[in-house]
Amino acid sequence: ASSFVRIGNGGHGMLNLSGGSFNQTGGNPFIVGISGGTGNYNQSGGFLTSSAYLDIADGSTGNATISSGTANFAGDIWVGQNGGGNGTLTISGGAVTNGTWLAVGRAGANGVFNISGGIYVRANAGGGAGGPNVSVANGGGSGTVTVSGTGYVNVSAGDTWIGEGSAGTWNQNGGTTINSYVQLGRNAGATGNLSLNGGVFAASQIAPGGGTSTMNFNGGTLKATASNANFLSGLGQANVMAGGAVIDCGGNAIAIGQ
């Protein structure tokens, strides 16, 4: 067991987990890149358990890559935290879960979350302003989520905000994403872009916020998870590209006013 974990604390650091178990206790964050350093966490097997949260690139550069095994964080996952931070979370296999917020591009940092295989789940019940939810881009930084291949994302326990306060992008190129309420461009000055190029993107509703909202249909399937008279409406732009638009009501009564 370990309490403090800082990989790349002012220098270059790397932690590789290929088997066995790594258990972090004490409620302190698991940090990958801080104090101007560069941190790399690579997991190809085994079990990682943290009683706190994952902080990738806290004002620094950080990369977490998971190809197999299980990683579980009781609290948040931050991919890019604080101005000047550049963080990347890459999942190609295994299972990653966390309890509370997923924030990609937080507090002025730039964050990238790529999943091409394996499973990601944000577990604890949330929704509404207080969350916990998914926030893609806030505080002046940028955030990008790309789901491809056989990647599976389930964030249906709360809301998904693409562009909470700044420039957020979600690319569904393959795989499956299960949401509940999805909002594009949540706050004034925010930009939310959702591009459906392949796979399945499921939601109970897709709605605009106070910023700029754009959805591009270019393949794949948009699937409704509940009956909703405002399932898709009010977006700044909804563009149908060469790949076309496929909308599956999933046996629900929905309306599209777009």
Side-chain angles (χ1 to χ4, degrees), residues 70-92:
T70 300
N72 180 41
F73 299 88
D76 296 353
I77 291 180
W78 300 345
V79 186
Q81 156 71 3
N82 286 327
N86 289 284
T88 302
L89 171 61
T90 302
I91 302 172
S92 60

Side-chain angles (χ1 to χ4, degrees), residues 82-147:
N82 286 327
N86 289 284
T88 302
L89 171 61
T90 302
I91 302 172
S92 60
V96 179
T97 61
N98 76 293
T100 50
W101 288 84
L102 169 65
V104 182
R106 186 179 189 272
N110 300 312
V112 175
F113 174 25
N114 297 318
I115 176 168
S116 60
I119 298 170
Y120 168 73
V121 177
R122 198 206 65 73
N124 293 4
N133 298 312
V134 175
S135 169
V136 183
N138 196 26
S142 66
T144 302
V145 177
T146 300
V147 184

Side-chain angles (χ1 to χ4, degrees), residues 191-218:
T191 301
N193 292 285
L194 170 58
S195 292
L196 180 53
N197 303 311
V200 176
F201 189 89
S204 61
Q205 182 178 356
I206 298 177
T212 301
S213 53
T214 302
M215 183 165 185
N216 297 311
F217 292 89
N218 193 31

Side-chain angles (χ1 to χ4, degrees), residues 25-230:
T25 60
N28 295 299
F30 189 104
I31 302 176
V32 184
I34 192 171
S35 301
T38 298
N40 291 281
Y41 172 71
N42 302 302
Q43 183 172 352
S44 58
F47 299 88
L48 169 64
T49 303
S50 171
S51 63
Y53 62 94
L54 173 62
D55 180 359
I56 304 172
D58 196 323
S60 301
T61 299
N63 301 284
T65 302
I66 299 168
S67 57
S68 187
T70 300
N72 180 41
F73 299 88
D76 296 353
I77 291 180
W78 300 345
V79 186
Q81 156 71 3
N82 286 327
N86 289 284
T88 302
L89 171 61
T90 302
I91 302 172
S92 60
V96 179
T97 61
N98 76 293
T100 50
W101 288 84
L102 169 65
V104 182
R106 186 179 189 272
N110 300 312
V112 175
F113 174 25
N114 297 318
I115 176 168
S116 60
I119 298 170
Y120 168 73
V121 177
R122 198 206 65 73
N124 293 4
N133 298 312
V134 175
S135 169
V136 183
N138 196 26
S142 66
T144 302
V145 177
T146 300
V147 184
S148 63
T150 59
Y152 179 86
V153 174
N154 190 330
V155 292
S156 60
D159 297 348
T160 299
W161 302 337
I162 303 172
E164 180 185 358
S166 45
T169 300
W170 192 295
N171 300 309
Q172 189 77 34
N173 296 338
T176 302
T177 299
I178 310 297
N179 304 273
S180 55
Y181 175 78
V182 177
Q183 189 173 49
L184 309 184
R186 177 171 175 80
N187 295 311
T191 301
N193 292 285
L194 170 58
S195 292
L196 180 53
N197 303 311
V200 176
F201 189 89
S204 61
Q205 182 178 356
I206 298 177
T212 301
S213 53
T214 302
M215 183 165 185
N216 297 311
F217 292 89
N218 193 31
T221 300
L222 174 62
K223 184 174 183 178
T225 60
S227 295
N228 195 322
N230 297 301

